[in-house]
Amino acid sequence: MQRTVRLLGITACVAALGMTTPVAAHSATPAGEPASVASASSSLAESGSGVVVVPADEAALATHAERLVAAMSTRERAASVVMGHIPTSDPATLHDYMSGDALGGFILMGANVPGDEAGLRRVTDSLTIDPALPPLIGIDEEGGDVTRLPWDDFAGAVTLKNEPAAATADAFAARGALLQRGGATVNFGVVADVPADPDSFIFRRGLGTSPTAAAQREAAAVEGEAAAVASTLKHFPGHGAAPGDSHHMLPTTDLPLEQWEQTDAVPFRAGIDAGAEVLMFGHLVFTAVDAAPATLSTEWHRIAREDLGFDGVAITDDLGMLQNTGDPRYADPVANAVAAIAAGNDMVMSVMLSDAGTASRIVDGITAAADSGALPAERLAEAATRVTQLRLQQSPDALLPCPQCQPVG
């Protein structure tokens, strides 16, 4: 008799023919049974029959994520929705940084990437404090103009926008494999903007100059890297319609929502339908929809969820960019982060103008807002649960036997 075991995106010890010694009471769950699992470990150890391992389905992962978040303190939940950054490639420094607040993620920028893949693996390994719940390790690996890995010479948008969509799938499959080998788990690499103006700063990074052409390549990019990393669509609701560079200003457009739905929304919808796990919100103002930047707009988050059907992790673009606009309304990075979570983002990050203490201050601010009721507790719990589920899904140890396993019998 075979025993089917459903893994929950965490390390489990499994060997065929009953030769199994579990090392953690919560490692694996028999299919169809609850996810608690001292009993599952016992059944694995005692079974003299074969063992079949299958991935946990989405519902099981969601349930497990909910249980993990329910056991977290408010501050732990706040830390789980913050993606940190410090500009160093020293593994010891990075390990200490991530140990301090148990942040939910880390974004790799150029200063974090050594000269070879082995060095990058040492960097990414150092960021994981708990292998059972590793952080999301993000990177902007678009290819071409925005390339963090010096050894990524696969085609970027400048080439791909003039090639069949299959070429985009191939390039992002290869790029995703490089990221996976280096230990990154989330690629902020699929530019879904539709910049028709060649003078736009985002033009060279867009995968298409028409909604239809862009949509075909967004879907291809997401499908291409799906086996290796979580895909991110950016910069919602679309940098093409709003002229200007959001690194230092608030690009603004009066484009009506109905027109947006027929144009800039098309590639985002295609990428979402293709299975993109992450949607990055841009610091873009569409005055016909909301006077606030999309990053801080409850309405744009509603549109993404209800109208486009996105059910993954919503993340901000670098909040330091919002601060860098010089607009006094956005001068406080902690207030920006709290407002972003309240608006519907599940994760926030700040790179520009940040320092080694920025993430901790943001965690403190989110915690205080949740404790005071200024940030609804259920909104923080929802955000933490979505992030935690993606962390489980992207765990590099999922479905791998743990090194401590020893055969018995």
Side-chain angles (χ1 to χ4, degrees):
M1 174 181 174
Q2 284 189 328
R3 187 75 166 165
T4 299
V5 177
R6 190 174 300 282
L7 297 186
L8 295 175
I10 51 182
T11 302
C13 295
V14 179
L17 301 177
M19 300 175 66
T20 305
T21 302
V23 298
H26 57 281
S27 292
T29 308
E33 296 182 19
S36 78
V37 184
S39 60
S41 294
S42 174
S43 66
L44 285 174
E46 296 171 2
S47 172
S49 59
V51 174
V52 176
V53 181
V54 296
D57 59 25
E58 188 172 343
L61 284 170
T63 298
H64 190 52
E66 288 170 2
R67 289 175 176 172
L68 290 176
V69 171
M72 293 179 183
S73 67
T74 300
R75 196 172 199 285
E76 288 170 333
R77 292 180 183 182
S80 76
V81 302
V82 175
M83 178 166 278
H85 173 75
I86 50 173
T88 179
S89 60
D90 177 63
T93 302
L94 290 166
H95 187 80
D96 289 346
Y97 175 78
M98 293 299 285
S99 297
D101 285 298
L103 299 175
F106 187 93
I107 179 170
L108 299 168
M109 303 296 285
N112 304 118
V113 180
D116 58 30
E117 185 178 275
L120 178 60
R121 192 76 209 198
R122 287 190 292 272
V123 164
T124 55
D125 285 347
S126 74
L127 296 169
T128 297
I129 309 304
D130 179 4
L133 187 61
L136 296 176
I137 301 177
I139 189 169
D140 294 304
E141 194 66 20
E142 301 173 13
D145 288 1
V146 180
T147 301
R148 306 294 186 218
L149 307 185
W151 53 94
D152 177 3
D153 58 2
F154 296 104
V158 170
T159 299
L160 295 174
K161 68 178 63 182
N162 298 310
E163 298 286 339
T168 298
D170 290 344
F172 275 83
R175 183 163 291 120
L178 289 185
L179 295 178
Q180 185 181 55
R181 286 168 59 91
T185 54
V186 180
N187 188 16
F188 301 133
V190 185
V191 177
D193 306 308
V194 188
D197 181 2
D199 293 328
S200 168
F201 91 101
I202 204 79
F203 181 81
R204 288 173 56 87
R205 297 165 56 191
L207 286 167
T209 56
S210 73
T212 300
Q216 292 170 346
R217 290 162 182 78
E218 306 313 319
V222 171
E223 292 164 0
E225 64 184 7
V229 292
S231 291
T232 305
L233 304 174
K234 63 184 187 183
H235 308 79
F236 187 78
H239 227 310
D245 186 343
S246 58
H247 288 87
H248 54 77
M249 63 175 293
L250 287 175
T252 302
T253 178
D254 60 0
L255 185 76
L257 180 62
E258 295 76 12
Q259 189 173 342
W260 173 83
E261 290 171 342
Q262 300 301 316
T263 53
D264 294 73
V266 175
F268 285 102
R269 190 185 299 275
I272 290 169
D273 290 346
E277 296 92 342
V278 183
L279 183 63
M280 180 181 287
F281 282 69
H283 309 307
L284 311 171
V285 179
F286 283 64
T287 56
V289 176
D290 197 331
T295 337
L296 308 181
S297 167
T298 302
E299 179 61 10
W300 275 117
H301 283 82
R302 185 202 66 76
I303 290 169
R305 299 288 184 194
E306 297 180 10
D307 297 352
L308 271 61
F310 179 67
D311 61 2
V313 170
I315 190 169
T316 67
D317 201 348
D318 176 9
L319 288 175
M321 295 161 55
L322 195 58
Q323 185 184 358
N324 194 51
T325 63
D327 189 321
R329 293 174 296 177
Y330 311 119
D332 183 347
V334 174
N336 293 339
V338 172
I341 296 293
N345 289 284
D346 303 307
M347 201 165 210
V348 297
M349 63 175 164
S350 185
V351 178
M352 186 180 291
L353 304 180
S354 69
D355 58 37
T358 298
S360 287
R361 291 191 293 273
I362 289 174
V363 172
D364 289 342
I366 294 173
T367 303
D371 285 342
S372 71
L375 173 64
E378 59 272 18
R379 171 78 275 272
L380 179 57
E382 177 186 53
T385 301
R386 286 202 188 105
V387 172
T388 299
Q389 183 174 346
L390 185 59
R391 291 169 69 181
L392 292 172
Q393 288 172 332
Q394 297 303 313
S395 169
D397 288 335
L399 308 183
L400 297 178
C402 58
Q404 299 94 334
C405 287
Q406 298 294 328
V408 295

